[in-house]
Amino acid sequence: GTFRAMRQAILGRMGHDFNKAQLFADNYFESYQKIYMYCCTWDAENFESTVISHVELMEKMALMRDFEREIDKLKSVHPCGFLLIEARTLRAELSPTVESSLNTMKARLRTSAKESCKMAIEHFEIANRDLQTRPLRLEHFTDYVRGFRHLEAELQALEGLRIAVEEMYAMIRQYNIRVDMSEDIAR
């Protein structure tokens, strides 16, 4: 009698704690499913070859930051009755991929910002040069006016390019990405 009662009590407690641990794991680790799926599908080469706007890149970087915060909140061990759920291996598996993808995105942001800044400088220099050449003869004045009107039409595109460069460098500062002094001066 006593042995059977103890055995039954132990099995009941084990079943209860196991169900409790399963319910906890299902609920607690659900948010890490998205990160895990991302890590399973991350492909740096594919990312590098994909055309992406700076806004999309910034959104992806923000997602990686969210993933990092979520992983940082992950406790190593979770007691559930007499069972312990260990999450160290999950953290060790997710962290490197998230960190690596964020570093890849940072490098891409830096390259995009540098190229966009160079392109913006070239466009603005051409526009300034065209505006500074004042026609001395009347027959050249029509060409000047035509060029001026063309430049007016491009003004919105130039402004968009300037804003994009500023947004990228603001993001570079936010993520503490190092840039060359020549880039800093150009910006």
Side-chain angles (χ1 to χ4, degrees), residues 11-45:
L11 289 175
R13 174 73 191 263
M14 286 175 64
H16 175 266
D17 285 355
F18 182 79
N19 289 336
K20 182 179 169 186
Q22 183 66 52
L23 184 63
F24 174 81
D26 289 345
N27 291 329
Y28 184 79
F29 294 108
E30 184 179 346
S31 64
Y32 296 95
Q33 180 75 25
K34 181 179 179 183
I35 301 170
Y36 177 78
M37 294 308 296
Y38 175 85
C39 290
C40 288
T41 59
W42 168 251
D43 180 5
E45 288 180 21

Side-chain angles (χ1 to χ4, degrees), residues 62-155:
L63 180 64
M64 290 306 101
R65 271 280 165 91
D66 291 344
F67 284 177
E68 282 183 331
R69 281 189 212 105
E70 199 69 28
I71 292 169
D72 286 344
K73 289 191 293 186
L74 183 61
K75 294 180 185 175
S76 298
V77 177
H78 304 273
C80 288
F82 78 93
L83 297 172
L84 292 177
I85 299 174
E86 186 181 295
R88 277 183 270 245
T89 52
L90 179 61
R91 175 183 250 172
E93 190 175 322
L94 299 179
S95 289
T97 305
V98 170
E99 185 178 330
S100 171
S101 63
L102 182 58
N103 286 336
T104 300
M105 291 175 193
K106 286 178 178 181
R108 177 125 180 222
L109 176 64
R110 184 171 183 256
T111 301
S112 295
K114 185 177 184 177
E115 291 170 359
S116 295
C117 187
K118 183 180 177 189
M119 184 173 31
I121 288 171
E122 289 170 0
H123 283 299
F124 278 102
E125 284 176 346
I126 290 169
N128 282 334
R129 188 180 56 236
D130 290 348
L131 287 174
Q132 287 176 351
T133 54
R134 303 275 191 243
L136 299 175
R137 297 172 48 154
L138 186 57
E139 56 266 12
H140 298 287
F141 186 72
T142 56
D143 292 336
Y144 178 78
V145 170
R146 192 176 306 119
F148 180 79
R149 288 197 177 130
H150 176 73
L151 190 59
E152 274 184 322
E154 283 187 10
L155 198 55

